[in-house]
Amino acid sequence: MKLKASVTLTLLLAAAVSQATAAQLDNTRASQVINTVKTHIHAQHSTGCVAVVDASGTLLAFQRLDGASPGCVDAAIGKARTSALYRTPSLKFMQRLQHGETTVLAIPHAVALGGGFPLTLQGDVVGAVGVSTPQQELDNQVAEAAAQGLK
């Protein structure tokens, strides 16, 4: 009986240590992602919105840049949520739709627009970034650059 209790305790301690050392998407990292996006958008003389969500797709941080249209708010959040929930760039859904796969429109919480990109730390998806600007290609480039810059 003592051996079983000892093994159980060891497993519980190992799980706790694993969770404590697992990388998390916190406010500091979310701010880093937003700042990277802002730098890239400003470099292109553009404007827009950026959203950062956690792995469950829940909003963690958001910023609407000066001059950005109100429509970019929901677009950025939706792109981020899509990437977090499905662990893939939201561009994949747009490409599927462009190739005639209209059933993509029925996938829950899937926004078929590029500009959402998963955020990974230590190989695990910890959230996602969503970018919405007046230029679709810029959305994709900036989201991917911000995701790759996350440390």
Side-chain angles (χ1 to χ4, degrees):
M1 194 65 164
K2 285 185 180 183
L3 178 61
K4 185 176 179 182
S6 178
V7 169
T8 302
L9 181 60
T10 301
L11 290 174
L12 288 172
L13 286 173
V17 168
S18 174
Q19 287 178 350
T21 59
Q24 297 286 324
L25 183 61
D26 56 16
N27 285 310
T28 300
R29 287 187 171 114
S31 292
Q32 174 191 348
V33 170
I34 286 178
N35 288 333
T36 300
V37 169
K38 286 170 49 177
T39 299
H40 281 82
I41 289 174
H42 288 309
Q44 295 297 317
H45 307 287
S46 192
T47 190
C49 293
V50 55
V52 177
V53 299
D54 64 18
S56 72
T58 303
L59 187 63
L60 183 62
F62 176 84
Q63 188 157 10
R64 179 177 167 201
L65 305 180
D66 291 341
S69 72
C72 76
V73 173
D74 290 335
I77 295 169
K79 292 173 183 188
R81 184 169 288 136
T82 298
S83 290
L85 292 175
Y86 294 100
R87 311 292 199 253
T88 190
S90 61
L91 178 63
K92 301 275 183 170
F93 292 94
M94 186 174 107
Q95 291 169 335
R96 289 170 59 186
L97 185 59
Q98 288 172 332
H99 287 97
E101 192 178 336
T102 58
T103 56
V104 167
L105 297 173
I107 299 172
H109 307 292
V111 174
L113 296 170
F117 210 87
L119 298 172
T120 59
L121 291 169
Q122 299 174 356
D124 295 322
V125 174
V126 294
V129 58
V131 178
S132 181
T133 71
Q135 300 168 303
Q136 178 65 59
E137 189 57 36
L138 181 60
D139 297 356
N140 296 323
Q141 292 170 356
V142 171
E144 185 171 3
Q148 290 177 350
L150 182 63
K151 301 287 182 227

